[in-house]
């Protein structure tokens, strides 16, 4: 080797060959390439994955499991009873009460919010319900702002044509 040439380190040679030496070696058949005929032309039979086999086993035993849980619930096991009841009865959802107060939707947004705050302070509207109303006003205000911007853009684009 001459003085002008330097010997390449092993990691650089590996890198130039297309493989990062810091990564693990690839798995699988290195001789297989895209477009090559499959060594297993029939492939795996449909529905024969590990997951599908486990699901099938669970479905076969599901009736026995349900019967056992119901039997334990009848014996007084509170966890089993809770499980059974949670599947039979839907969970109760909280519902806000209906409210009625003086509200003028034609006013600017800040004055609408002031009306809601006034109703909260007078005890006509519960604070959590008032918060929901204010959030609804804010959402409507954002939607109106987007609509107004869209109209202005259409007008400006029409002027440029």
């Amino acid at each position: 080797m001459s003085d002008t040439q330097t010997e390449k380190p092993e990691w650089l040679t590996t890198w130039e060959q297309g493989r990062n030496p810091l990564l693990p070696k690839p798995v699988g058949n290195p001789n297989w390439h895209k477009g090559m005929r499959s060594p297993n032309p029939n492939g795996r039979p449909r529905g024969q994955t590990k997951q599908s086999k486990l699901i099938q086993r669970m479905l076969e035993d599901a009736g026995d499991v349900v019967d056992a849980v119901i039997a334990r619930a009848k014996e007084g096991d509170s966890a089993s009873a809770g499980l059974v009841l949670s599947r039979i009865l839907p969970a109760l959802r909280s519902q806000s009460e209906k409210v009625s107060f003086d509200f003028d939707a034609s006013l600017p947004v800040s004055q609408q919010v002031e009306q809601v705050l006034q109703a909260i302070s007078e005890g006509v509207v519960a604070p959590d319900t008032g918060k929901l109303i204010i959030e609804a006003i804010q959402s409507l205000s954002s939607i109106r702002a987007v609509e107004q911007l869209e109209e202005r853009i259409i007008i400006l684009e029409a002027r440029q044509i």
Side-chain angles (χ1 to χ4, degrees):
M1 186 156 64
S2 68
D3 293 335
T4 59
Q5 290 182 334
T6 57
E7 187 176 328
K8 293 181 183 178
E10 180 186 346
W11 65 266
L12 182 58
T13 307
T14 308
W15 185 273
E16 288 174 348
Q17 291 173 353
R19 193 179 81 70
N20 182 344
L22 302 175
L23 297 176
K25 291 185 178 181
V27 295
N29 184 351
N31 298 325
W32 188 87
H33 59 275
K34 192 171 183 173
M36 183 175 153
R37 187 172 158 230
S38 172
N40 184 6
N42 294 331
R44 182 186 318 137
R46 288 189 183 272
Q48 295 297 316
T49 63
K50 290 178 184 177
Q51 182 181 9
S52 66
K53 289 178 183 178
L54 286 173
I55 290 172
Q56 186 61 37
R57 264 186 61 202
M58 289 187 332
L59 288 174
E60 290 170 358
D61 296 335
D64 296 336
V65 172
V66 170
D67 292 340
V69 170
I70 291 173
R72 290 198 54 167
K74 287 180 178 179
E75 292 172 0
D77 182 15
S78 60
S80 298
L83 180 63
V84 170
L85 290 175
S86 70
R87 298 298 175 193
I88 295 172
L89 299 174
L92 295 176
R93 295 182 183 174
S94 65
Q95 293 183 343
S96 298
E97 60 186 55
K98 293 182 180 181
V99 293
S100 177
F101 63 99
D102 291 331
F103 184 77
D104 186 1
S106 64
L107 293 175
V109 173
S110 60
Q111 291 179 357
Q112 291 177 13
V113 172
E114 287 175 5
Q115 289 177 335
V116 175
L117 293 174
Q118 183 66 34
I120 292 171
S121 68
E122 293 172 354
V124 177
V125 176
D128 58 334
T129 305
K131 181 181 177 190
L132 291 173
I133 295 170
I134 291 172
E135 288 172 355
I137 292 170
Q138 182 181 12
S139 295
L140 180 60
S141 174
S142 298
I143 292 169
R144 286 182 179 160
V146 169
E147 287 176 344
Q148 290 171 355
L149 284 173
E150 185 179 11
E151 288 175 13
R152 291 174 67 187
I153 290 171
I154 291 171
I155 292 170
L156 286 173
E157 288 176 347
R159 287 183 186 168
Q160 291 179 355
I161 295 178

